[in-house]
Amino acid sequence: MTGELTSLPDIQASKLEIVTTKSPKPLPSSSDLVFGRTFTDHMLTIPWTANTGWGIPKIQPYGPLSLQPSATVFHYAQELFEGLKAYRDTTGRVTMFRPDMNMKRMNTSAKRVALPNFDGNAVIELLKELIRKDKHWIPDIPGYSLYIRPTLIGTQAALGVQPPDEALLFVICSPVGPYYPTGFKPVALYGTTEYSRAAPGGIGSYKLGANYAPGVVAQREAAAKGYAQNLWLHGPEHHITEVGTMNTMIVFEQPNGVTELVTPPLDGMILPGVTRDSVLTLAREHAEGKTLIEGLPEPGKLVVNERPVTMKEVKEAGQDGRLVEFFGTGTAAVISPVNKIGYLGQDIMIPTGEDGMGPVSRPIWKQLVGIQSGIISHPWSVTVTEH
Ligand SMILES: *Cc1c(COP(=O)(O)O)cnc(C)c1O
């Protein structure tokens, strides 16, 4: 890289051009919404070239992109994405949840595959404009939200593996209903030893499209065996990494009676989830006595650790009755409880309460959803519009 690159224009929200659709789509009935199938009327696009930097941001009607078949995204998976949500609270205010975290991660992913970086704050301002334009697509029903999918692709029309000299950042939005419309449904996981999701020095900690296609076959095989998702394991000791496309949280009862909330450390194979960070932060603030969450074990009786966990430890804790909870975390489901892990031909059973949750996930879920839906006022909620 030369010094010149830094003097090229970054994304400028003030340059935004808006082309309003002439044929707005009819709003879907909220009961028909299937995750990721329905998109709003508009999308945001921002082109980039190596010679001219970031171009004019445009909000325009949602529709097909025009790309050359030689575009590098189609050949070398020069693609990364993000996922975040906008919520409407009971007063009609629309907010986004921690969008700065998504912009930071998007830039980290871009750097890993030699796609261009950008000013995340400028994109947050543009996301606000896009959401304001299509805010009537957020169903005014508790538990519903607008899923926002920022994406960055290499568009240079040339074969050859190299940093693309053209790229496109685009953002589409999809109204979504509650992940668990009829209450939490704990899922069964298949401890996957035939495939691996990530490796040291690989790309598991980046939200790159290339991470996901290889997981589809593994998921299908787990489903054929009667399990909902893969529990991705790593190495000869079968270290726990992720649950499907979610981060993993495990709750142990330590021999001294203290409850331990554990998640694997960010060692390069774990996706740094915004929900993961939020759960850890809330649990730590409680454990430190700073912001108490009703229902959690009292401070002093709860410890929060990022440390490696093997299947051996989980299995033994299960046998000793010290495996309290196992759950996934991610933007789509927030918390996804697990009631069974198939591992080397045996099932490890995990207790869940009548509501499908456990003593740590239940209060944290309530707090997190309270913040996201505006019931609890918190700096993580970024206002898009007051009504
Ligand atoms: C997106 C994602 C997560 C969860 O991240 P959030 O920011 O909490 O949505 C976890 N693991 C993988 C593999 C992911 O793609």
Side-chain angles (χ1 to χ4, degrees):
M1 287 230 193
T2 66
E4 273 167 83
L5 278 178
T6 54
S7 62
L8 291 173
D10 205 321
I11 294 176
Q12 287 168 279
S14 61
K15 295 244 165 100
L16 175 66
E17 290 177 8
I18 301 181
V19 180
T20 300
T21 181
K22 290 195 181 68
S23 44
K25 292 175 271 193
L27 292 179
S29 128
S30 58
S31 56
D32 291 345
L33 288 178
V34 179
F35 180 85
R37 297 291 169 93
T38 308
F39 295 91
T40 64
D41 283 326
H42 297 92
M43 63 181 183
L44 170 69
T45 58
I46 319 170
W48 174 89
T49 78
N51 289 330
T52 57
W54 286 100
I56 306 286
K58 212 181 237 179
I59 288 175
Q60 63 196 81
Y62 176 95
L65 300 171
S66 177
L67 296 174
Q68 296 292 337
S70 52
T72 50
V73 60
F74 298 133
H75 305 276
Y76 312 117
Q78 289 176 331
E79 193 266 2
L80 60 96
F81 66 95
E82 273 303 323
L84 69 159
K85 282 178 174 175
Y87 304 83
R88 187 199 301 282
D89 73 15
T90 48
T91 68
R93 188 172 73 117
V94 175
T95 59
M96 279 187 281
F97 184 71
R98 307 189 76 183
D100 55 312
M101 296 283 284
N102 298 92
M103 292 301 112
K104 202 174 114 197
R105 189 169 66 190
M106 201 171 174
N107 270 310
T108 310
S109 299
K111 201 163 178 204
R112 180 67 179 82
V113 290
L115 281 166
N117 279 147
F118 56 86
D119 176 2
N121 288 327
V123 175
I124 291 175
E125 290 313 306
L126 292 164
L127 291 180
K128 288 180 187 171
E129 293 282 354
L130 178 65
I131 297 163
R132 280 179 207 130
K133 190 119 186 92
D134 284 345
K135 64 178 194 293
H136 56 287
W137 282 81
I138 312 174
D140 198 3
I141 309 170
Y144 284 71
S145 57
L146 192 64
Y147 184 81
I148 304 158
R149 170 52 63 92
T151 312
L152 179 56
I153 57 175
T155 53
Q156 181 176 13
L159 299 182
V161 180
Q162 58 194 358
D165 66 12
E166 287 181 32
L168 180 70
L169 192 162
F170 63 90
V171 185
I172 54 178
C173 302
S174 173
V176 291
Y179 197 85
Y180 295 105
T182 55
F184 284 90
K185 277 214 188 67
V187 295
L189 302 181
Y190 177 66
T192 305
T193 51
E194 306 91 326
Y195 300 102
S196 71
R197 190 194 84 87
I203 55 170
S205 60
Y206 304 91
K207 225 167 169 68
L208 302 177
N211 275 319
Y212 301 85
V216 174
V217 163
Q219 197 280 330
R220 205 169 54 186
E221 290 180 16
K225 293 185 177 82
Y227 299 91
Q229 271 298 347
N230 300 90
L231 174 59
W232 296 106
L233 306 174
H234 174 72
E237 289 181 69
H238 295 159
H239 278 97
I240 287 170
T241 63
E242 300 213 31
V243 174
T245 58
M246 285 185 275
N247 291 119
T248 313
M249 300 263 168
I250 309 151
V251 180
F252 293 113
E253 189 188 312
Q254 293 179 335
N256 59 4
V258 169
T259 300
E260 184 193 22
L261 172 65
V262 194
T263 194
L266 300 177
D267 60 359
M269 288 182 282
I270 304 293
L271 201 289
V274 178
T275 320
R276 175 189 183 278
D277 183 84
S278 304
V279 168
L280 289 177
T281 302
L282 293 177
R284 281 185 177 134
E285 285 178 357
H286 173 88
E288 289 160 10
K290 276 195 216 148
T291 307
L292 295 183
I293 298 176
E294 204 189 309
L296 278 183
E298 61 187 74
K301 292 273 183 203
L302 177 71
V303 292
V304 182
N305 287 323
E306 290 171 76
R307 64 165 179 86
V309 181
T310 62
M311 277 308 294
K312 182 165 177 274
E313 183 181 2
V314 169
K315 199 175 159 184
E316 287 175 359
Q319 285 162 352
D320 299 349
R322 294 188 300 101
L323 182 56
V324 181
E325 280 199 72
F326 201 105
F327 56 94
T329 66
T331 294
V334 185
I335 279 172
S336 181
V338 173
N339 60 6
K340 187 165 89 174
I341 303 170
Y343 179 59
L344 303 180
Q346 285 184 334
D347 281 339
I348 301 170
M349 305 307 289
I350 299 144
T352 51
E354 250 171 45
D355 58 357
M357 307 193 82
V360 173
S361 63
R362 186 184 300 111
I364 291 184
W365 176 83
K366 227 176 140 204
Q367 186 79 2
L368 202 46
V369 170
I371 293 169
Q372 291 171 338
S373 59
I375 295 165
I376 300 167
S377 144
H378 197 282
W380 284 345
S381 277
V382 173
T383 302
V384 175
T385 174
E386 288 295 341
H387 44 254

